[in-house]
Amino acid sequence: MIDKRTFRLPGRAVALVLAGGRGSRLYELTDWRAKPAVYFGGEYRIVDFALSNCVNSGIRRIGVVTQYKSHSLLRHLQRGWSFLRAEINEFVDLLPAQQRVDEESWYRGTADAVYQNLDIVETYLPTPEYVVILAGDHIYRMNYAAMLVDHVEGGAECTIACIEVPRKDATGFGVMAIDDQWKITDFVEKPADPPPMPGKPDASLCSMGIYIFNAKYLYSELRRDIEDPESSHDFGKDIIPHAVKNGRAKAHPFHLSCVHAPEEGPGKEHYWRDVGTIDAYWEANIDLTATDPALNLYDRAWPIWTYQQQLPPAKFVHNQADRRGIAIESVVSDGCIISGEINRSLLFSSCRAHSHTRIDWSVLLPEVEVGRGARLSRCIIDYGVKIPPGFVIGEDPEADARRFRRTSNGITLVTQKMMDQVVS
């Protein structure tokens, strides 16, 4: 039975967003920015989803743990997340690598990242009773308050959010086994042969990288782990398996806290994506151009907050038979000026598509300029790239692979450095 303070659970918690990941499988997209700072969805950065879930869930004491290439991430957080009011104990606390173990040691794992900031977290007042650990590099909408209730009702020291994943795709996740009370009986990190779910031989139950701990238990476990010379100081590899071994962990099924818009039917997908590869990033962005996308960004009851420049509306110019600005099943953001044809594509802010251009099934990051008569197909064009007039990408696989980064699924990533080498 939950005590009478249950409705105040979010106020008794603090969230720590782990946003220091490099995101190496995104290749050049993370050369100059951490994965959580990568652009997504026309207006946002990836980290905005975890932060918006916190605010919308009523958790307004948030620490963001950063490390790799953090400048653009820190700048985004300072510009876009300063609306919380410190006077009423709301904040987004920026936690760069503290190097508290020794002067040359960066974070050695996700658990070490939290451990090195324990002295800061323990000073938060009122003292947190629960700590919500979040990855800052996933796309989803989730009510953490519902998960907090499940955590308290379950009586475990640690609760792990989980989602069903096709068994063939589960090798990159932590995979768990549970009993009929959702207590976790086994946990293995990134297995080569993922164990199936009971009665579902083609599916595995996987960790979403979202954990809720009783604060005192977490602090004790982190201090124990840091003294273990055999530990890699990682939640998935060390902290969670130890909690499972000692019977302290339970699973929380994502469908209990996944957020859907009121108008969406009961069969709507429980949306969660790790956009950690070029192909997954392209697919998740392009899906937003669908008439009924899997992810609803138009739900005003659960908004995704971000920093947005003050820009004029998108504009479509010219109205001649062979020269007409048009967009079909596409997302076109503020500040764009279009005088070519856009099909099933997503354009971030301040892009330019000059006359006679054709852009199909492509993602253009902010301030991309596509020159007159150029053609793009199945591309990701990085921030600020200038595509020369008449240039064609996406129609000759061999040429694209020589000049740019092309995936086995035929998605071509283009940066300005690549383009400079081509046209020099």
Side-chain angles (χ1 to χ4, degrees):
M1 189 70 176
I2 300 179
D3 65 51
K4 294 180 180 179
R5 298 182 298 163
T6 299
F7 71 96
R8 294 178 52 237
L9 280 175
R12 295 155 59 189
V14 63
L16 297 179
V17 180
L18 304 180
R22 177 172 182 171
S24 58
R25 295 178 299 160
L26 287 172
Y27 296 99
E28 289 82 4
L29 280 179
T30 53
D31 271 354
W32 303 106
R33 58 179 80 94
K35 182 181 172 185
V38 171
Y39 296 94
F40 183 83
E43 302 283 355
Y44 312 101
R45 306 290 185 113
I46 293 175
V47 74
D48 290 326
F49 288 81
L51 294 174
S52 295
N53 288 334
C54 286
V55 170
N56 293 332
S57 300
I59 300 175
R60 298 193 167 215
R61 294 190 293 169
I62 308 165
V64 180
V65 183
T66 67
Q67 180 168 261
Y68 171 83
K69 303 281 187 179
S70 62
H71 174 70
S72 63
L73 175 61
L74 294 173
R75 182 175 59 190
H76 173 72
L77 295 174
Q78 289 167 342
R79 292 177 176 178
W81 287 90
S82 59
F83 61 85
L84 296 179
R85 300 296 299 271
E87 301 94 320
I88 55 175
N89 206 25
E90 299 177 347
F91 56 80
V92 172
D93 204 0
L94 306 182
L95 304 172
Q98 303 295 320
Q99 297 180 293
R100 287 199 169 95
V101 176
D102 61 67
E103 291 185 359
E104 297 182 357
S105 177
W106 297 94
Y107 297 142
R108 295 166 293 177
T110 54
D112 183 51
V114 176
Y115 171 79
Q116 290 200 38
N117 289 286
L118 271 190
D119 60 334
I120 297 173
V121 176
E122 289 180 314
T123 64
Y124 292 155
L125 295 174
T127 302
E129 298 176 47
Y130 309 101
V131 180
V132 183
I133 304 293
L134 305 169
D137 54 2
H138 297 146
I139 306 296
Y140 63 107
R141 300 195 306 158
M142 180 177 181
N143 187 343
Y144 302 138
M147 185 176 171
L148 269 168
V149 170
D150 189 37
H151 171 75
V152 174
E153 285 185 330
E157 300 281 5
C158 167
T159 298
I160 303 170
C162 59
I163 191 170
E164 292 186 23
V165 172
R167 187 179 175 190
K168 62 182 177 61
D169 299 329
T171 55
F173 295 87
V175 181
M176 65 190 79
I178 59 172
D179 64 17
D180 57 1
Q181 300 298 313
W182 289 87
K183 181 179 179 180
I184 302 174
T185 58
D186 193 19
F187 184 91
V188 57
E189 181 77 356
K190 298 183 179 179
D193 183 21
M197 295 179 63
K200 295 185 177 181
D202 296 326
S204 295
L205 193 62
C206 296
S207 168
M208 299 169 64
I210 300 168
Y211 317 120
I212 295 180
F213 290 91
N214 291 346
K216 291 181 180 179
Y217 172 79
L218 174 63
Y219 303 160
S220 174
E221 283 296 286
L222 291 175
R223 291 186 171 107
R224 176 199 58 77
D225 178 77
I226 208 68
E227 299 297 329
D228 182 358
E230 303 299 320
S231 176
S232 57
H233 312 300
D234 185 84
F235 278 104
K237 296 177 181 177
D238 305 292
I239 300 295
I240 300 303
H242 190 268
V244 171
K245 179 181 177 181
N246 289 281
R248 302 295 185 89
K250 73 176 293 289
H252 170 81
F254 181 44
H255 71 264
L256 295 181
S257 51
C258 180
V259 173
H260 295 297
E263 67 272 14
E264 293 175 334
K268 189 71 173 181
E269 175 187 353
H270 304 308
Y271 187 97
W272 179 87
R273 295 288 188 276
D274 180 353
V275 289
T277 66
I278 295 296
D279 290 329
Y281 177 79
W282 174 87
E283 183 178 359
N285 276 284
I286 291 297
D287 178 71
L288 296 174
T289 68
T291 302
D292 183 20
L295 176 65
N296 185 349
L297 295 177
Y298 297 86
D299 179 10
R300 297 178 68 179
W302 198 271
I304 305 302
W305 304 92
T306 191
Y307 165 73
Q308 295 186 28
Q309 290 180 285
Q310 298 301 308
L311 296 170
K315 182 168 66 170
F316 298 80
V317 298
H318 303 304
N319 189 20
Q320 302 165 13
D322 63 342
R323 190 188 185 200
R324 180 176 292 123
I326 186 172
I328 302 168
E329 285 196 309
S330 295
V331 175
V332 180
S333 303
D334 288 349
C336 292
I337 301 178
I338 308 300
S339 59
E341 183 176 340
I342 316 295
N343 293 283
R344 204 62 199 275
S345 295
L346 184 145
L347 278 61
F348 284 78
S349 59
S350 299
C351 290
R352 300 288 186 271
H354 290 281
S355 296
H356 310 291
T357 58
R358 184 178 177 93
I359 300 171
D360 297 323
W361 296 86
S362 293
V363 179
L364 277 59
L365 271 60
E367 301 193 24
V368 167
E369 183 172 353
V370 184
R372 185 183 180 94
R375 300 196 305 274
L376 307 177
S377 180
R378 294 172 63 84
C379 296
I380 300 171
I381 311 297
D382 199 10
Y383 183 98
V385 172
K386 310 300 180 187
I387 305 294
F391 206 87
V392 177
I393 306 173
E395 298 179 15
D396 186 336
E398 292 184 1
D400 290 339
R402 286 196 308 269
R403 301 178 297 183
F404 310 113
R405 181 171 297 280
R406 186 177 187 275
T407 74
S408 58
N409 289 333
I411 305 304
T412 304
L413 170 64
V414 180
T415 68
Q416 187 60 51
K417 182 178 180 181
M418 296 175 189
M419 186 59 67
D420 290 342
Q421 292 172 343
V422 170
V423 299
S424 61

